[in-house]
C-alpha cells in the first residue's frame, strides 16, 4: 500500500457486514455522513472497517457522494484489543449522559457484555418504544467507543432488565458487587477468565438487592473511602479487575517493588455460596 494510502490515521468505522478482500462495503447512513461531510474524505482515502465480530479491514473509498459512500476492502485481519478477562457489567440505569459515559468507558476498558439494570432506588423507568430507542442509542455509544479505542469486537448492550433477574442468570467464577465490605474481594490464587460486576444507582442498592447479590454468590467490592458516582464506579472497578486479572498491567511497572496483586480493593460482606 502506498504512503498516500497509509492507514496510520485512517478513521475506524463499524459496519455490521461480512468483510471480504476485494469486496465493496456500503457505509451506513451515520458513518457515511461523518466520512463525507464532516471529515470531507473523497475517493482514494483510506478507512478501517470493523465488523464487530472480531475482524477489521483496510479499505479505500471508491465513492463518497451525498447519497452513498462505498469502500473497497483490500485486506482483512483479526482485530486486537480484547482482554483475556471477559467481564459482564450489570450497570444500574442512570439519567442523561451519565449512562452514556459509563457504557463508553466500560467498552474502552475491555468489558465483554453490558446489561442496563432497573433497581429499587433507580429513578429511570423505560417502556415500549422509549426503551427500544434508548437501547439503540446505548448500542451506538458502544460502537463509537470501539471505533475510538481500536476494538474490533463490539460488546453487546442487552435490553434492560431487573437486577434480580440478572443476578439469577449469573454463572461466572468471579462475581463482585460494589458495596462496602471487608478487604480481599480480588484475593484469588487462580486467574478467572469470566467475571460479573454489579454497579448500583446513585442511591445505592437496596438491602433486598444486596441480599440477592449475596445469595447469588457475589462478593462485595469496596473502592476506597470516598463515594463514587454511578458512572465513575465502573471505570475504577473495571480498571482494578483488568489490572489484577486482565491486560491493564502497564501501571504496575510504574511502582517498582509493588506487585500487581497489591493494587486491589476489598471483598465479601457475606458469602453464602459460590457464584453459580
Amino acid at each position: 500500500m502506498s504512503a498516500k494510502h497509509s492507514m496510520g490515521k485512517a478513521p475506524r468505522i463499524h459496519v455490521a457486514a461480512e468483510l471480504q478482500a476485494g469486496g465493496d462495503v456500503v457505509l451506513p447512513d451515520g458513518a457515511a455522513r461523518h466520512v463525507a461531510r464532516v471529515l470531507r474524505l473523497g475517493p482514494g482515502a483510506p478507512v478501517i472497517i470493523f465488523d464487530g465480530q472480531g475482524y477489521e479491514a483496510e479499505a479505500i473509498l471508491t465513492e463518497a457522494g451525498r447519497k452513498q459512500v462505498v469502500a473497497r476492502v483490500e485486506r482483512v485481519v483479526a482485530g486486537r484489543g480484547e482482554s483475556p478477562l471477559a467481564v459482564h457489567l450489570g450497570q444500574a440505569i442512570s439519567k442523561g449522559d451519565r449512562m452514556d459515559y459509563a457504557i463508553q468507558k466500560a467498552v474502552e476498558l475491555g468489558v465483554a457484555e453490558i446489561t442496563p439494570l432497573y433497581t429499587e432506588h433507580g429513578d429511570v423507568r423505560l417502556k415500549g418504544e422509549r426503551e427500544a430507542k434508548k437501547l439503540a442509542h446505548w448500542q451506538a455509544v458502544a460502537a463509537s467507543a470501539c471505533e475510538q479505542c481500536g476494538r474490533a469486537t463490539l460488546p453487546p448492550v442487552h435490553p434492560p432488565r431487573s437486577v434480580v433477574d440478572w443476578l439469577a442468570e449469573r454463572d461466572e467464577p468471579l462475581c463482585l458487587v460494589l458495596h462496602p465490605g471487608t478487604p480481599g474481594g480480588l484475593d484469588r490464587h487462580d486467574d478467572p477468565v469470566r467475571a460479573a460486576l454489579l454497579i448500583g444507582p446513585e442511591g445505592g442498592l437496596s438491602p433486598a438487592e444486596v441480599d440477592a447479590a449475596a445469595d447469588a454468590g457475589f462478593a462485595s467490592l469496596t473502592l476506597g473511602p470516598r463515594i463514587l458516582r454511578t458512572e465513575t464506579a465502573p471505570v475504577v472497578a473495571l480498571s482494578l479487575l483488568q489490572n489484577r486479572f486482565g491486560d491493564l498491567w502497564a501501571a504496575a511497572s510504574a511502582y517498582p517493588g509493588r506487585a500487581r496483586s497489591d493494587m486491589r480493593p476489598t471483598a465479601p460482606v457475606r458469602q453464602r455460596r459460590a457464584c453459580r
Side-chain angles (χ1 to χ4, degrees), residues 145-169:
C146 281
E147 290 175 349
Q148 183 277 325
C149 73
R151 295 179 66 177
T153 299
L154 177 60
V157 180
H158 300 293
R161 57 189 321 183
S162 75
V163 63
V164 173
D165 289 344
W166 183 77
L167 287 169
E169 295 182 348

Side-chain angles (χ1 to χ4, degrees), residues 56-192:
E56 63 184 35
E58 297 176 355
I60 299 297
L61 295 183
T62 57
E63 182 179 344
R66 283 183 167 272
K67 294 184 178 181
Q68 184 172 257
V69 176
V70 181
R72 177 153 299 165
V73 174
E74 297 197 335
R75 187 168 75 106
V76 179
V77 297
R80 298 177 296 174
E82 295 309 302
S83 172
L85 177 68
V87 181
H88 189 153
L89 173 65
Q91 174 73 41
I93 301 172
S94 53
K95 285 184 176 180
D97 60 2
R98 291 182 297 174
M99 190 67 177
D100 291 4
Y101 180 90
I103 290 172
Q104 179 191 68
K105 301 311 174 188
V107 171
E108 291 178 18
L109 286 164
V111 76
E113 299 179 65
I114 301 172
T115 299
L117 299 176
Y118 295 120
T119 60
E120 288 187 28
H121 294 166
D123 53 5
V124 178
R125 292 291 184 270
L126 303 169
K127 292 183 179 180
E129 183 178 354
R130 185 164 171 251
E131 182 181 89
K133 287 184 177 179
K134 185 61 74 172
L135 177 60
H137 171 74
W138 290 331
Q139 290 169 337
V141 169
S144 178
C146 281
E147 290 175 349
Q148 183 277 325
C149 73
R151 295 179 66 177
T153 299
L154 177 60
V157 180
H158 300 293
R161 57 189 321 183
S162 75
V163 63
V164 173
D165 289 344
W166 183 77
L167 287 169
E169 295 182 348
R170 306 278 49 85
D171 64 355
E172 290 84 354
L174 176 61
C175 298
L176 299 169
V177 54
L178 185 60
H179 187 73
T182 55
L186 300 183
D187 286 343
R188 297 175 66 99
H189 295 294
D190 62 330
D191 287 327

